[in-house]
């Protein structure tokens, strides 16, 4: 979803995903983990459980989390109670890795 100045007011929930915003002319990327966004014509406010800037993501840790979630999912079926939790863990790790690739290169 894109939010531009003058956007119609809206309140929405957020899932695990990528958020980017422009500050001056610089684009910042964050990996977010659930939350809410409130959009008004002049401001957007995001409240997230976690928000990791691209440059602060530990890629090795995210890869390890992805591997753990993939292994755990192999042992589960969609009907198992832990299946949604592991699916979200996998999604979170993939988003973190995707956002980390967008970190500014030094």
């Amino acid at each position: 979803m894109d939010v531009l100045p003058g956007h119609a007011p809206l309140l929405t929930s957020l899932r695990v995903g990528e958020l980017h915003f422009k500050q001056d002319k610089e684009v910042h990327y964050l990996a977010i983990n659930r939350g809410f966004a409130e959009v008004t014509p002049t401001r957007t406010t995001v409240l997230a459980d976690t928000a990791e800037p691209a440059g602060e993501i530990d890629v090795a840790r995210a890869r390890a989390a992805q591997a753990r979630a993939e292994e755990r999912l192999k042992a589960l079926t969609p009907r198992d109670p832990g299946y949604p939790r592991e699916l979200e863990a996998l999604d979170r790790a993939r988003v973190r890795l995707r956002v980390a690739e967008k970190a500014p290169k030094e």
Side-chain angles (χ1 to χ4, degrees):
M1 170 176 82
D2 288 333
V3 176
L4 300 172
H7 196 288
L10 116 94
L11 181 63
T12 188
S13 62
L14 302 172
R15 299 179 301 170
V16 172
E18 177 183 327
L19 180 135
H20 69 272
F21 64 94
K22 286 184 183 177
Q23 189 173 32
D24 298 320
K25 293 190 183 228
E26 189 176 354
V27 179
H28 301 270
Y29 295 91
L30 302 165
I32 62 165
N33 181 24
R34 294 176 292 167
F36 297 93
E38 178 186 33
V39 177
T40 68
T42 58
R43 163 182 262 156
T44 298
T45 303
V46 175
L47 301 171
D49 290 348
T50 61
E52 286 181 278
E56 294 180 18
I57 294 172
D58 183 335
V59 174
R61 187 171 160 242
R63 283 192 184 123
Q66 180 179 6
R68 273 193 313 275
E70 288 171 343
E71 277 305 306
R72 289 176 180 157
L73 281 168
K74 287 179 187 176
L76 299 173
T77 68
R79 292 186 174 163
D80 286 317
Y83 189 85
R85 182 180 60 243
E86 293 305 326
L87 203 55
E88 187 173 289
L90 178 59
D91 194 25
R92 193 168 42 251
R94 287 178 175 165
V95 166
R96 291 177 73 229
L97 290 169
R98 188 172 64 239
V99 170
E101 290 176 358
K102 298 175 182 181
K105 307 298 182 225
E106 295 178 9

